[in-house]
DNA sequence: TATATTTTGTGATTTGTTTCACATCAAATC
DNA sequence: GATTTGATGTGAAACAAATCACAAAATATA
């Protein structure tokens, strides 16, 4: 029970994802081991940071020998519970939901959208690899597939109500695309993805960059954009 | 030229977006002024944080009287250059690109996708509010509409090459949905949106949360998920 | 007009994160 | 097998962000 109390900060988690993507690429290229500075170069962080991050997750390499890519990837799989499959539900088969339902990378990473849901009977006829159910079957499916995580792609106005329903049926984590802050119990994880904000912040930085033209240490202006 | 050297950190920028969304909502409800703790309550941060953030952007309120919502919103518009319109191009009209091209919130925030592009002649026939051009017209459109920011929704494999092209034509900021780290000159802003990672991090936190069931200060586990 | 109250704005302090620096070890070389 | 070399791993130091605490100001009240 000890190490559970230790929480992992979003930024280092994000960097770990970066490292992993890079490792996968290197592996495909036939590379078998890496040094912290290889990963650092590829991902735009410092090698210290790479090692510190690894140490945070208790990942060990070989002094002088660097890290074995296979070991590294295996360790990461365990850390991220990727040996198991993860069943997901997707609510809202509008423009965005439809795109997400067709996204093949989720499956490649063992994250399976087992079913999608929409309130609109018309949407329920969408020809797709995935079934589109009416909301009345939500509980049944969540129970059957032991779903713990949901993707929420319904309009702003319905987001809270749908979230409440999901949580009532046992959902513990939501990736929320609606631009609202959901009110949820403290044992439910919400990850808000707000694409307007993402676009707007780029515009903001670009403008400042243009105004600051000629500034030496431009990277200071947007150093947190890195990942 | 003084204040330009001061960079704004992504987190405080994100919080400002939160405050703004909240202010817009309150305004619609007829509210005219707020206190830092009102905003704090609504957005789940502390009132100190709200005031510190405001002070970072040089936003002033009235001692005892709080903040006037209209002034606040106006100030924010200026800070975010929202008095001007911003022309955007969208590259890649696949599943995701199509959804994004139909997203009405961008326009509501003065961010106009003026044209979309795809290499696939078939995609160029998509019936949509927006024109879908072949890549050969990219330079022309970027010049004509003085576009500085692009949304990149092409496959991983083409992302770098398309980014290079965009930058060659003068694009200074990219919201990149392809799961690759683009190599770009230091005066170009990249904002990577990696939806797999977003989903996976929720799964990670949910799992740890379930394991840590009964832990007092659960919020520690995912405090950086807040916004 | 004086006093109490309430909220802002910001240095000071605490807390958190990254970078530095170097001991430690494993391999390569002599 | 001793010595050099080159990498890891991690406390210590430096830096950055969030919280605290309180003076200053504006309003309400007496
Ligand atoms: N389209 C985009 O590219 C995009 C980008 C970023 C964010 N978003 C956000 O994602 C959400 C969905 O956007 P969209 O463009 O797909 O909208 P949309 O209107 O195309 O789709 C919403 C879908 O949700 C369904 N729905 C509505 N109420 C529901 C309910 N109570 N239960 C179940 N389903 C319900 C609707 O029938 C519809 O099919 C919105 O909150 C939007 O702000 C969209
Ligand atoms: N579909 C999703 O929900 C989703 C979610 C997250 C991330 N992404 C990422 O977004 C990107 C697009 O995803 P998608 O699902 O829409 O893929 P897609 O294959 O449906 O669409 C990609 C589009 O890009 C076009 N294209 C390919 N090469 C091009 C080039 N050189 N120049 C211009 N256009 C080109 C293709 O013709 C196609 O229309 C991918 O990198 C994907 O990993 C997609």
């Amino acid at each position: 029970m000890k190490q559970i109390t230790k929480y992992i900060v979003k930024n280092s988690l994000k960097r770990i994802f970066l490292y992993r993507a890079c490792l996968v690429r290197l592996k495909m290229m036939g590379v078998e081991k890496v040094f912290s500075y290889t990963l650092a170069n590829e991902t735009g962080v410092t090698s210290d940071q790479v090692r510190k991050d690894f140490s945070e997750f208790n990942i060990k390499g070989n002094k002088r020998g660097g890290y074995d890519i296979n070991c590294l990837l295996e360790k990461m799989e365990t850390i991220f519970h990727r040996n198991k499959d993860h069943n997901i539900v997707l609510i809202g088969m509008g423009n965005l939901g439809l795109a997400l339902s067709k996204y093949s990378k989720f499956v490649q990473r063992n994250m399976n959208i087992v079913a999608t849901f929409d309130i609109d009977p018309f949407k329920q006829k969408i020809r797709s690899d995935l079934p589109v159910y009416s909301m009345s079957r939500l509980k049944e499916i969540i129970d059957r597939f032991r779903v713990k995580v949901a993707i929420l792609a319904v309009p702003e106005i319905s987001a809270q109500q749908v979230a409440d329903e999901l949580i009532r049926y046992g959902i513990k984590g939501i990736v929320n695309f609606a631009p609202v802050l959901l009110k949820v119990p403290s044992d439910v994880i919400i990850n808000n993805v707000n694409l307007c904000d993402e676009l707007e912040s780029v515009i903001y930085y670009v403008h400042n960059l243009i105004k600051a033209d000629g500034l030496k240490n431009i990277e200071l202006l947007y150093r947190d954009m890195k990942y």
Side-chain angles (χ1 to χ4, degrees), chain A:
Chain A
M1 266 297 182
K2 270 277 178 47
Q3 75 278 26
I4 291 171
T5 6
K6 184 146 192 272
Y7 66 91
I8 299 298
V9 165
K10 201 180 177 188
N11 275 354
S12 62
L13 191 59
K14 276 208 177 172
R15 284 193 302 264
I16 294 274
F17 287 145
L18 280 190
Y19 306 149
R20 188 183 53 187
C22 176
L23 289 166
V24 168
R25 218 163 3 97
L26 289 169
K27 186 181 174 176
M28 285 200 310
M29 291 163 57
V31 183
E32 283 178 0
K33 64 179 192 178
V34 281
F35 303 119
S36 56
Y37 59 79
T38 326
L39 279 175
N41 271 346
E42 291 291 314
T43 54
V45 305
T46 67
S47 58
D48 301 308
Q49 185 79 79
V50 173
R51 295 202 302 280
K52 247 308 198 268
D53 286 338
F54 282 1
S55 117
E56 180 138 354
F57 284 89
N58 252 293
I59 292 173
K60 307 268 176 196
N62 315 302
K63 292 252 164 84
R64 174 130 201 199
Y67 302 84
D68 180 274
I69 290 187
N70 281 321
C71 288
L72 222 42
L73 282 171
E74 235 165 81
K75 192 85 197 281
M76 287 179 180
E77 302 257 309
T78 316
I79 291 167
F80 297 132
H81 319 281
R82 295 238 284 122
N83 18 9
K84 317 182 189 70
D85 272 12
H86 300 285
N87 293 334
I88 316 282
V89 290
L90 165 57
I91 322 294
M93 276 295 266
N95 295 312
L96 184 60
L98 189 59
L100 293 171
S101 75
K102 292 179 181 164
Y103 192 38
S104 55
K105 289 263 156 63
F106 291 145
V107 177
Q108 286 170 32
R109 289 224 222 155
N110 296 23
M111 304 184 290
N112 306 309
I113 300 179
V114 290
T116 71
F117 296 85
D118 204 294
I119 207 177
D120 178 358
F122 181 73
K123 296 281 162 56
Q124 290 157 25
K125 298 196 188 92
I126 291 174
R127 257 193 58 61
S128 160
D129 290 347
L130 291 167
V132 186
Y133 295 128
S134 91
M135 294 297 281
S136 59
R137 299 194 56 192
L138 188 52
K139 183 173 176 5
E140 171 205 337
I141 301 288
I142 288 177
D143 285 347
R144 166 134 46 103
F145 291 99
R146 299 184 195 297
V147 181
K148 289 275 164 275
V149 173
I151 300 173
L152 194 53
V154 302
E156 200 173 342
I157 190 103
S158 348
Q160 181 65 57
Q161 174 220 314
V162 176
D164 292 344
E165 201 173 343
L166 287 166
I167 292 162
R168 205 158 52 238
Y169 300 153
I171 290 297
K172 291 292 179 198
I174 298 175
V175 179
N176 171 38
F177 286 92
V180 274
L181 288 181
L182 303 171
K183 297 212 169 71
V184 299
S186 73
D187 67 336
V188 175
I189 307 286
I190 302 291
N191 190 2
N192 293 305
V193 177
N194 189 321
L195 300 183
C196 268
D197 288 357
E198 299 298 340
L199 183 54
E200 198 163 344
S201 60
V202 170
I203 292 174
Y204 173 80
Y205 283 107
V206 165
H207 264 260
N208 282 15
L209 213 53
I210 289 170
K211 277 204 297 183
D213 199 21
L215 193 70
K216 263 277 177 48
N217 48 352
I218 269 175
E219 66 275 7
L220 275 185
L221 275 168
Y222 67 103
R223 46 193 208 117
D224 283 320
M225 273 287 161
K226 265 190 304 208
Y227 25 75

